[in-house]
Amino acid sequence: MCTSLTTCEWKKVFYEKMEVAKPADSWELIIDPNLKPNELAPGWKQYLEQHASGRFHCSWCWHTWQSAHVVILFHMHLDHARRMGSVRMRVFKQLCYACGTARLDESSMLEENIEGLVDNLITSLREQCYGEDGGQYRIHVASRPDSGPHRAELCEACQEGVVHWKPSEKLLEEEATTDTFSEASRPRAQAASGYNFLSLRWCLFGASLCLLLGYLQFSLRSAAFL
């Protein structure tokens, strides 16, 4: 029985894709909120999805936010003799930063995001449980812009010691390029500022000189008429 719409969607997509990937075997997907990273029973394997995209809804103040750093933990086991497999899954929660309540909230995901995450799960499952080449993992891009920098103190995964967030190499390169450009442009900006100041002084001097010459000419003409 599904406990939420997202849970039903996860199971629906998983069962459909496993029926295609491994039709001879029977697999089940179990939601386990008590699943712990790296605490595996004998014969079990682990796969950790570190940067899933999800939307959170606070059950206390109704605030919603988007995150591109949702962590999903999977534990997998295949009984080759019985041709039966089991996947236990935990989606780590986040705290609402708007109201500050200590209540952890679950994420909801679009169907297209769930399908990509299940594809990655099956890739890992084929590699670790069947010894096959699972193929390429899909890289997930958030369907909406992230609401801000990841805050470890509000992330259940971070609080349990799962190190999953770090700035991307592209972001670091962009920051380095921006800093370099700022440093390089600063002397030129200062030089331009000094040049503009000197130009202003010369303009004022020229205007004053013109006024003085005009005054002298007027004075000489007035004296001649007298």
Side-chain angles (χ1 to χ4, degrees):
M1 181 177 178
C2 297
T3 58
S4 68
L5 183 61
T6 301
T7 299
C8 289
E9 193 63 38
W10 270 100
K11 291 189 175 185
K12 171 180 172 292
V13 174
F14 176 75
Y15 293 142
E16 288 177 353
K17 288 183 176 289
M18 284 305 300
E19 184 65 27
V20 175
K22 294 295 176 183
D25 297 337
S26 177
W27 281 86
E28 63 174 350
L29 177 65
I30 301 171
I31 308 300
D32 185 356
N34 299 314
L35 209 62
K36 299 293 183 183
N38 303 317
E39 294 185 8
L40 297 166
W44 285 73
K45 308 296 182 181
Q46 175 174 293
Y47 170 63
L48 186 67
E49 184 72 54
Q50 304 184 58
H51 299 288
S53 175
R55 189 165 185 80
F56 291 85
H57 181 89
C58 180
S59 55
W60 182 259
C61 72
W62 307 107
H63 174 68
T64 60
W65 68 97
Q66 181 82 9
S67 176
H69 306 289
V70 181
V71 177
I72 308 175
L73 176 64
F74 300 97
H75 285 182
M76 309 166 291
H77 179 265
L78 173 62
D79 187 333
H80 291 274
R82 300 172 60 190
R83 305 200 70 116
M84 296 180 63
S86 179
V87 175
R88 290 187 174 273
M89 166 186 167
R90 176 186 178 185
V91 181
F92 286 88
K93 303 176 183 179
Q94 293 185 12
L95 292 169
C96 176
Y97 61 84
C99 66
T101 180
R103 183 178 302 178
L104 288 161
D105 294 291
E106 298 180 352
S107 66
S108 60
M109 296 180 181
L110 298 175
E111 181 178 353
E112 59 189 37
N113 290 343
I114 292 177
E115 289 184 355
L117 294 167
V118 171
D119 285 339
N120 281 355
L121 169 62
I122 294 176
T123 297
S124 178
L125 186 149
R126 291 178 62 185
E127 291 175 350
Q128 298 195 72
C129 295
Y130 290 93
E132 301 175 355
D133 180 7
Q136 294 292 326
Y137 286 86
R138 293 180 60 175
I139 299 174
H140 301 284
V141 179
S143 57
R144 299 182 183 179
D146 203 359
S147 58
H150 185 68
R151 296 175 60 178
E153 70 274 14
L154 302 177
C155 175
E156 185 181 33
C158 290
Q159 294 303 310
E160 295 196 15
V162 180
V163 180
H164 67 101
W165 184 86
K166 62 180 181 178
S168 66
E169 293 182 1
K170 182 179 179 181
L171 179 61
L172 293 174
E173 289 176 359
E174 289 177 352
E175 290 180 350
T177 302
T178 302
D179 292 341
T180 302
F181 176 77
S182 299
E183 291 294 333
S185 61
R186 190 173 301 161
R188 282 181 286 180
Q190 291 175 349
S193 176
Y195 174 77
N196 291 335
F197 178 72
L198 290 175
S199 299
L200 178 62
R201 291 182 62 185
W202 279 110
C203 288
L204 291 174
F205 176 76
S208 300
L209 186 59
C210 288
L211 289 172
L212 179 60
L213 291 173
Y215 175 74
L216 291 175
Q217 289 179 357
F218 178 77
S219 299
L220 289 173
R221 288 178 182 176
S222 298
F225 284 113
L226 294 175

